[in-house]
Amino acid sequence: MVLLPLGITAASALAVMLAAAVRGPTPRAATGRAAEALSVLGLAAALGSQLAVAGAAPRRVTPLFVFDGVSSILGAVVLASALAVVLLASAYLRRLDEPWEEIYALLLLGTAGALALTSSDHLVGLVLGLETLSVSLYGLVASVRTRGDEALEAAMKYLVLAGAASAFLLFGVALLYASVGTLELPALTAELSAGTPAGSELVTVAGLAFVLVGIGFKLALVPFHLWTPDVYQGAPAPITAFVATVSKGGVVAFLLRLVAAAGAVARPEDGEGLFVVLALLAGASILVGNLLALLQRDVKRLLAYSSIAHLGYLLVALLAGGELGPRAAVFYLIAYAVTILLAFGVVTILSRAEQEAGDLDAYRGLFWRRPILASAMAAAVFSLAGIPLTAGFVAKLYLLLAALDGSRFGLVGILVVGSVLGLYYYLRVVVAMLATPEPETAASEPVGASGGVALAGLGAVLIWIGVAPSAWLRILGIWLGG
Amino acid sequence: MKLVALVLVPLLGGLLAWPLGRRRTEWARIAAVLALGVDLALALSLLGPAGPGGWLATFELPWIPSLGIGLRLGLDGLSLVLVLLTLLVGLLAVFASWSEIRERVGFFHFNLCWVLAGILGVFLALDLVLFYFLWELMLVPMVFLIALWGHERKTYAAIKFFLYTQASGLLMLLAILGLGLAHQRAAGSWSFAYGDLLGVSLEPTLALWLMLGFFAAFAVKLPVVVLHTWLPDAHSQAPTAGSMVLAALLLKTGAYGLLRFAIPLFPDASVRFAPVAMVLGAIGVIYGAVLAFAQTDLKRLVAYTSVSHLGFVLLGIYAWTSFSLTGTVLQMVAHGLSTGALFVLAGALYERTHTRDLERLRGLAPVVPRMGAAALFFALASLGLPGLGNFVAEFLVLVGAWEVRPIPTTIAALGLVAATLYSLRFFQRAFHGPAAEAELADLRPRELTVLGAMGVALLWLGLAPQPLFEVVAPALDVLLRTAGGTP
């Protein structure tokens, strides 16, 4: 029963592939629409079943997967994000003469991988989920080829770097197994707290470090972030949204478990190795992400660096520990996912067949040309900046509270500096949208029904969390507290 | 309930004005006027005897119960005076921009109403997180007002204003959260209510840091001398209504924050900090005056006079005596009116001559005699002529501060001389001298009404300020007793 969401997602992927194969050489539009409908239905059903089985008592299914509060919430986030991506991609893909069915199949497979990640507290489960996700992403990033080599270049960069990161991860897992003898997280940390076997300390530390390299790459933390701007810029906009939310959501789930397990072993304030390293990663991500975003003229690259910074903020929440820390981290992830989906949703809708809506010039005067889209973008940008009335503000508030409670004053200081830096480039986007528009040369792209629904839903959730967050916080407390 | 309505009415008025402005611009303006007028009547209806604790009205609704954050609003004499000022200046700002704003009128009034709603909320909020929420919320429509309808360097001024206020606001947020945490650790439950947080006992070092966090945000807003550099740009680049709201109202939120939060929440730290603050206030008076004297841009000149006048406010607040606080409140109102009027005049001149440069504005009195008379009146108000509100205010502040610390008070008093210099200089340059050859329209009835209303109010405050004192006194007494001042 608890495997239902994962099963439905995987089954949808298979169904899409079968549908494509069965229908044969019929007009592209028909197969594409069928694939799209199957994906939407499949993800909606999976999300529904996820919410239905949530709140049940924690269960372990095979040594690899555990279904508890964390997997419930983050699984729901992953599925909802994937659903939003599919809805937003609908109109986008229709403008392109591209293989839709493959894209949808890969999306569903990637979602299944991410979903598996949210439920795994076993290192092999981590590898399984991560690899499924990564392989589907290689294909997805390269999927749009009518615009020249941009997407292909991004995919090659991603392939090479992700391959290297996966190698590090696997090697780290192997080293850990060699020194400790088990691959399950709880048992692993129990063994480590009992003291590492004599002589294998270097092996253990190296193993842990390599695993962190792999995780840091996937989360785009500094210094493993070099792929992020190029991939975000080169990939098609809805795929970028997928990378920004679904893949990160899955990995954050695992990191949550890792930190929680390690936290049970040693107190964060003791500055145990893992926490020091994570603190360094967080601080570097916040500063580097915000500083480099200041230089960007391309909105997708700007959002890429912004994502790096926001993952840094999320890490601060994880490091805060205590009762508030994990809740703040999950809440931040939810707010971040909604915001980034809304932002990339606008980018997707504005992208024309020949060119992505990357450069800031595409947004100049947007407020006067297409006020609803511009308002959606402004709401997303304000949420990233942490301005009240948006989800980002409440999430930042909660995060600061957790960090202060955990006495992480240094990280809080860096967070404040980063936030102030961020204000400048976020405001620049808004100011560009408010500028006097150039005379219209090309016709604007229509929003499309499913895209409109997705944008409206995301915007409503953004404002809802920003104005009346108590319901969300309560649910979070119930699911995570137990 | 009335308090919620006070904030909601401008919000709804603004929401209405936006689409109405697309049909006909007059409808947007009328919608704004109606909303603010109704709100003003509502605020006036709240005048009355003070209840327990000095409150005239309170309101409470849970918002995020798990963190003890609620929608808590409260009105006492101090807030009421500032609320009335807000609505009055807001109405006058709408009238003043009647002919100046011609593009996107609906959106302009939407932003104007929402800024006013945010300011009203700041004056009413009694929950610290709610206060921060509204503090930040005030900013965004103001940034839009400057960035869309401002003058040559509007984008630069808007971004600078935004960054300064946001950065200092974040420091205040940290202080608020720190205070909330301290309360949670001491009392075991979360609460961000003003009343609950008043009683939290803190170690001296922690109290000092938290107080400085609050002070940072209010110091940028007030502005205190070193952190004031956003002000000349924002005030001179904003449209007339924007400058009025900025000078008359936004700056007062900083003063209000000091009075309501920074000092009562951290009385001992404030006592230790008071000498620094009073010296900063005195320096601000002189510095602002000297720089105002040197300006050639009319609106920048008036902006620097704000820095100077609000130095008196800072001095009076940290003197923390009954006289000085009363003078501070009166100075807030009188400065709002006199500086607002000066901005209206500057805007009127700009509309007619398309310049703010004092090198080019010469000898205007024979050409626009009514404007000259109004300018003289408000220049005299600004320099503190007895009979007008500013004099009574500055006098009270100086009397109150003299008891506590004579040296900064003396320095500030010298600022009165400097005020005379810049006020008369600006008037003499722009209006006296060889008559200008231009043909300019004199003040129209609408502009005369706006300026007339402000003038009458200033006269009333200067000649018969007692009613204002009586409204404010209970609230100030409570504040003085909370933080152990000399009533």
Side-chain angles (χ1 to χ4, degrees), chain A residues 10-409:
Chain A
S12 312
L14 286 174
V16 169
M17 288 192 275
L18 277 176
V22 161
R23 289 178 82 94
T26 43
R28 180 127 282 157
T31 41
R33 270 199 279 277
E36 179 190 326
L38 270 173
S39 314
V40 172
L41 280 174
L43 283 172
L47 183 60
S49 62
Q50 174 81 3
L51 292 171
V53 304
R59 276 189 57 181
R60 181 169 287 280
V61 176
T62 78
L64 294 181
F65 299 122
V66 62
F67 292 93
D68 56 3
V70 171
S71 75
S72 300
I73 299 185
L74 290 174
V77 171
V78 162
L79 284 168
S81 307
L83 184 59
V85 168
V86 168
L87 287 172
L88 287 169
S90 148
Y92 179 92
L93 289 174
R94 266 173 233 233
R95 296 176 210 135
L96 301 167
D97 183 25
E98 292 291 348
W100 298 355
E101 315 84 39
E102 284 89 335
I103 294 179
Y104 285 114
L106 285 173
L107 273 174
L108 288 167
L109 274 176
T111 312
L115 210 54
L117 264 178
T118 62
S119 323
S120 71
D121 69 343
H122 192 286
L123 286 174
V124 169
L126 168 71
V127 172
L128 270 178
L130 212 54
E131 286 306 304
T132 314
L133 180 60
S134 301
V135 171
S136 56
L137 277 177
Y138 303 149
L140 283 171
V141 171
S143 54
V144 172
R145 282 162 313 207
T146 52
R147 294 203 198 111
D149 296 330
E150 209 180 43
L152 205 55
E153 179 189 333
M156 282 303 292
K157 283 182 187 168
Y158 190 57
L159 174 63
V160 171
L161 290 173
S166 292
F168 268 92
L169 182 69
L170 279 168
F171 193 28
V173 169
L175 285 176
L176 279 176
Y177 186 63
S179 82
V180 184
T182 172
L183 286 171
E184 301 173 16
L185 260 187
L188 192 73
T189 46
E191 289 282 332
L192 284 175
S193 69
T196 45
S200 66
E201 237 187 58
L202 182 61
V203 177
T204 317
V205 168
L208 208 53
F210 287 172
V211 168
L212 270 182
V213 167
I215 293 181
F217 173 86
K218 245 329 194 261
L219 288 177
L221 295 169
V222 171
F224 314 113
H225 68 288
L226 296 168
W227 60 275
T228 316
D230 294 319
V231 170
Y232 274 49
Q233 183 182 24
I239 305 304
T240 316
F242 187 81
V243 171
T245 51
V246 174
S247 75
K248 293 198 182 169
V251 181
V252 165
F254 185 81
L255 193 58
L256 250 177
R257 294 187 201 279
L258 183 66
V259 170
V265 171
R267 297 183 324 140
E269 306 89 69
D270 287 340
E272 284 291 329
L274 178 66
F275 291 92
V276 170
V277 171
L278 284 177
L280 283 173
L281 288 181
S285 303
I286 295 174
L287 289 175
V288 170
N290 279 310
L291 279 171
L292 289 178
L294 286 172
L295 306 169
Q296 301 307 320
R297 275 203 55 87
D298 183 298
V299 168
K300 290 169 82 181
R301 283 182 88 88
L302 192 146
L303 287 173
Y305 281 111
S306 162
S307 293
I308 296 176
H310 278 275
L311 258 298
Y313 298 147
L314 203 149
L315 264 187
V316 173
L318 275 178
L319 289 168
E323 190 194 311
L324 289 175
R327 288 192 210 184
V330 173
F331 193 64
Y332 201 85
L333 183 68
I334 297 176
Y336 161 78
V338 173
T339 311
I340 282 285
L341 282 169
L342 190 61
F344 276 111
V346 175
V347 175
T348 311
I349 290 175
L350 284 175
S351 300
R352 303 185 201 287
E354 330 78 56
Q355 197 196 0
E356 293 266 313
D359 200 83
L360 204 53
D361 285 333
Y363 298 84
R364 206 159 289 283
L366 193 67
F367 211 58
W368 315 116
R369 293 185 276 129
R370 310 190 67 176
I372 300 186
L373 276 183
S375 303
M377 192 61 166
V381 166
F382 282 149
S383 181
L384 287 171
I387 308 251
L389 278 190
T390 61
F393 168 67
V394 183
K396 193 163 270 184
L397 182 77
Y398 207 22
L399 163 62
L400 280 172
L401 204 58
L404 285 175
D405 193 24
S407 306
R408 317 291 288 177
F409 298 125

Side-chain angles (χ1 to χ4, degrees), chain B residues 107-351:
Chain B
F107 192 48
F108 176 83
H109 287 90
F110 169 77
N111 281 310
L112 189 57
C113 286
W114 276 51
V115 165
L116 292 171
I119 297 174
L120 287 170
V122 162
F123 288 143
L124 293 173
L126 282 186
D127 176 292
L128 256 65
V129 173
L130 179 66
F131 174 76
Y132 178 78
F133 191 91
L134 292 160
W135 181 267
E136 295 291 300
L137 207 54
M138 280 192 307
L139 289 188
V140 177
M142 194 71 232
V143 168
F144 281 5
L145 281 176
I146 301 178
L148 286 173
W149 292 276
H151 304 307
E152 333 73 69
R153 294 177 75 207
K154 53 193 179 183
T155 318
Y156 169 79
I159 295 183
K160 198 169 173 183
F161 166 68
F162 185 74
L163 284 178
Y164 266 74
T165 333
Q166 276 279 24
S168 57
L170 270 173
L171 291 175
M172 181 168 74
L173 179 64
L174 286 180
I176 291 176
L177 293 177
L179 191 57
L181 261 173
H183 174 265
Q184 194 264 347
R185 293 210 175 132
S189 65
W190 286 103
S191 174
F192 283 94
Y194 178 60
D196 292 337
L197 292 177
L198 271 178
V200 177
S201 66
L202 302 160
E203 309 161 351
T205 346
L206 180 64
L208 186 66
W209 280 112
L210 292 180
M211 191 272 298
L212 285 175
F214 276 88
F215 185 77
F218 301 137
V220 167
K221 254 310 175 13
L222 193 66
V224 173
V225 174
V226 181
L227 300 169
H228 69 286
T229 47
W230 63 272
L231 187 139
D233 292 303
H235 279 208
S236 56
Q237 300 302 322
T240 306
S243 301
M244 285 173 76
V245 169
L246 261 175
L249 304 173
L250 241 62
L251 303 187
K252 310 309 182 300
T253 60
Y256 174 80
L258 286 173
L259 278 174
R260 176 75 74 205
F261 296 110
I263 299 183
L265 287 172
F266 311 104
D268 301 314
S270 299
V271 164
R272 286 161 60 192
F273 188 66
V276 177
M278 288 180 79
V279 168
L280 281 174
I283 295 178
V285 173
I286 304 289
Y287 184 77
V290 168
L291 259 80
F293 186 73
Q295 295 304 314
T296 54
D297 178 326
L298 183 54
K299 282 180 91 166
R300 261 183 113 85
L301 189 150
V302 180
Y304 275 109
T305 70
S306 288
V307 177
S308 183
H309 285 144
L310 288 163
F312 276 103
V313 165
L314 186 62
L315 185 73
I317 291 178
Y318 274 91
W320 204 250
T321 67
S322 175
F323 275 148
S324 74
L325 285 185
T326 317
T328 302
V329 176
L330 186 55
Q331 173 79 325
M332 288 202 264
V333 179
H335 168 265
L337 293 169
S338 62
T339 312
L342 284 172
F343 276 120
V344 171
L345 280 166
L349 270 176
Y350 186 80
E351 227 185 291

